[in-house]
Each structure stands twice: as structure tokens, then as C-alpha cells.
Amino acid sequence: GNSVTQMEGPVTLSEEAFLTINCTYTATGYPSLFWYVQYPGEGLQLLLKATKADDKGSNKGFEATYRKETTSFHLEKGSVQVSDSAVYFCALSPQGAQKLVFGQGTRLTINP
Amino acid sequence: GAGVSQSPSNKVTEKGKDVELRCDPISGHTALYWYRQRLGQGLEFLIYFQGNSAPDKSGLPSDRFSAERTGESVSTLTIQRTQQEDSAVYLCASSYPGGPSEKLFFGSGTQLSVL
């Protein structure tokens, strides 16, 4: 079946640290891959996406590369800020299906 | 409205009672999704509506769960004879046609607590 596995949280970093949140997936065919973010008190919102192998999604300094050979879509940021504190969800859309399959979420806290 | 609106924001009910959750999608969004998020877990797909097509109900966990949507407007998720394991945040999302590769806009959710 289709599934997404995310790095266990919570993750706590200092401001300006390098961030990696690991995400691996299981899917048949060629899914689309996403990172969604939920800031405190807000609804989930799309952070970035990649729809085919080797694509790189980027937004707000975050990047993730669709790696089919390792079935991964790790989220990275070179220098995090306090405002990046949120819960991050990795997700996939199976090829030909009309739904998103989410990982369990990773809570990120950035300390000043 | 400006975003996806869900009501109520919080609902406390007794085991065995029925509950109805409401979702107002963004105007013009033909696709509408319901998800459930149990504490500490990921989002679990429940049901998907796209225009006037038959909904994808493959994620509904039991026949106690049902959802309706009239045209491209409001959707209601009904849970009959609630159980304690139904306690979760129920999230609604909408998007333009094109499936999940289009950006989904989520509501703030309804926190359901079954005592």
C-alpha cells in the first residue's frame, strides 16, 4: 500500500542551525510528494511539492528533492528561524488517486 | 469567505450520541476532502468529493460515518453512535479541480471529544 514515514519528533534546534527532517515513502508508480506545515493556531498549508523524480521543491528557504532511488523526500533548510517553529507533514498523492497520504508529522521548535 | 471554515471548533459529546460536523469550502473550489487526525498520529483520509462525481468513500472507517455535499458548497460529516475512539481532530480541505497535486487549503478543524 501507500505510506509515508517521517522522522520522529519533536525536534529542537537553535536559531541559524541546519535543519533536516527525514521522510521516506512507499508507493506504486510515480506519486507526487509534498510537505505541509502547520504553524501554531493555524491550519495546514502547503510548503512545497515535487511531482516527478529529481524535481526539487522550494519555498521560504526550505528545499526537498524527490529521490526515487531512495524513495525519499527529506526537508532541509540551511538556517532556521524562530518563526519556523511548527509541525511539518510529509505527504504523497498516489499516481491516479485523488487523495493525500500523510506522515505522522514532526514538531519543530526553534529556540532563540 | 477567505478560507475554509469549519464548525464547531470544539465538540464534546457522550458516547452513543450522533454528531454533525460542518465544512464551508473556499468559493470556487470543486474538490473537498475530510481527514481525521488522532492525537500524535498523521492525517487519515476519510472521504473526497469532486464536483458532481461519485465521492471516494474508501477512507470511512465504519458505516457509522457518512458525509454529504450538495454541489460545490457546504459538506457535513456525520458520526452516528459515537465511540471514544472517534475522538480526534476532523479536518476539511478544499482545492481547485486537478486532484491533490493542486494546493489544498485546510480549515482549522473540529476537535471532537467523546466521553
Side-chain angles (χ1 to χ4, degrees):
Chain A
N2 300 297
S3 66
V4 175
T5 302
Q6 277 183 243
M7 175 178 180
E8 289 284 334
V11 174
T12 302
L13 296 172
S14 297
E15 205 164 21
E16 299 183 4
F18 183 87
L19 169 71
T20 300
I21 301 178
N22 289 338
C23 171
T24 57
Y25 67 90
T26 301
T28 54
Y30 299 89
S32 295
L33 302 174
F34 306 82
W35 278 99
Y36 275 78
V37 59
Q38 186 171 29
Y39 297 105
E42 300 183 17
L44 274 84
Q45 54 188 279
L46 178 66
L47 179 60
L48 54 82
K49 69 177 184 181
T51 56
K52 61 182 187 294
D54 300 325
D55 268 1
K56 177 185 285 187
S58 60
N59 186 25
K60 299 182 180 181
F62 290 88
E63 293 183 341
T65 301
Y66 189 143
R67 301 286 189 201
K68 190 159 180 65
E69 64 275 15
T70 54
T71 61
S72 65
F73 193 54
H74 305 320
L75 183 68
E76 297 182 335
K77 186 172 185 181
S79 177
V80 292
Q81 305 300 313
V82 172
S83 57
D84 294 327
S85 297
V87 182
Y88 292 82
F89 292 88
C90 186
L92 69 83
S93 173
Q95 185 177 7
Q98 301 300 323
K99 62 184 180 185
L100 285 172
V101 176
F102 284 86
Q104 77 274 26
T106 302
R107 181 174 298 279
L108 173 68
T109 301
I110 306 300
N111 294 320
Chain B
V4 177
S5 177
Q6 291 188 245
S7 61
S9 55
N10 282 282
K11 176 71 176 177
V12 180
T13 190
E14 295 179 349
K15 178 181 172 181
K17 300 285 189 184
D18 297 352
V19 296
E20 188 173 279
L21 312 180
R22 176 187 171 104
C23 172
D24 280 275
I26 292 172
S27 178
H29 282 192
T30 58
L32 186 146
Y33 304 77
W34 283 99
Y35 283 85
R36 175 171 73 177
Q37 185 178 22
R38 291 188 169 126
L39 187 63
Q41 298 186 22
L43 279 73
E44 177 187 4
F45 169 79
L46 297 178
I47 189 168
Y48 163 73
F49 295 92
Q50 173 58 59
N52 294 318
S53 302
D56 177 354
K57 302 180 180 181
S58 60
L60 294 178
S62 76
D63 60 6
R64 296 186 296 105
F65 287 73
S66 63
E68 292 186 354
R69 187 185 188 195
T70 304
E72 298 178 359
S73 60
V74 171
S75 175
T76 55
L77 176 68
T78 302
I79 308 174
Q80 295 178 311
R81 306 179 303 281
T82 52
Q83 304 294 313
Q84 288 183 333
E85 63 264 26
D86 298 335
S87 296
V89 176
Y90 289 81
L91 291 166
C92 177
S94 70
S95 75
Y96 289 109
S101 290
E102 292 294 326
K103 185 174 176 179
L104 263 65
F105 292 79
F106 281 84
S108 298
T110 294
Q111 173 75 61
L112 176 65
S113 300
V114 182
L115 304 180

